Amino acid sequence: MDLEAEYGVPGLLAPQALALLRMARGMGYGQLDTTAMLKVYESILGCEARL
């Protein structure tokens, strides 16, 4: 996001990804990697993703 601001280009996905990671940390998934974002969706939707 710093590079987006520095070069004046719009950030399309970075702000959403950062928000999801912050939500994941708040929900107790801070010890996970980026898969924590999936845990946020699972929690909100009330179902488990099968990959």
Side-chain angles (χ1 to χ4, degrees):
M1 290 176 37
D2 292 338
L3 287 173
E4 296 167 356
E6 182 179 338
Y7 290 101
V9 296
L12 303 176
L13 297 177
Q16 289 80 8
L18 182 59
L20 275 172
L21 289 172
R22 286 181 176 162
M23 288 176 68
R25 187 179 341 145
M27 296 170 79
Y29 301 124
Q31 76 283 3
L32 299 176
D33 57 9
T34 55
T35 59
M37 292 188 281
L38 182 59
K39 294 289 187 188
V40 171
Y41 284 118
E42 288 178 337
S43 180
I44 292 169
L45 297 173
C47 63
E48 185 178 331
R50 296 183 187 177
L51 304 174

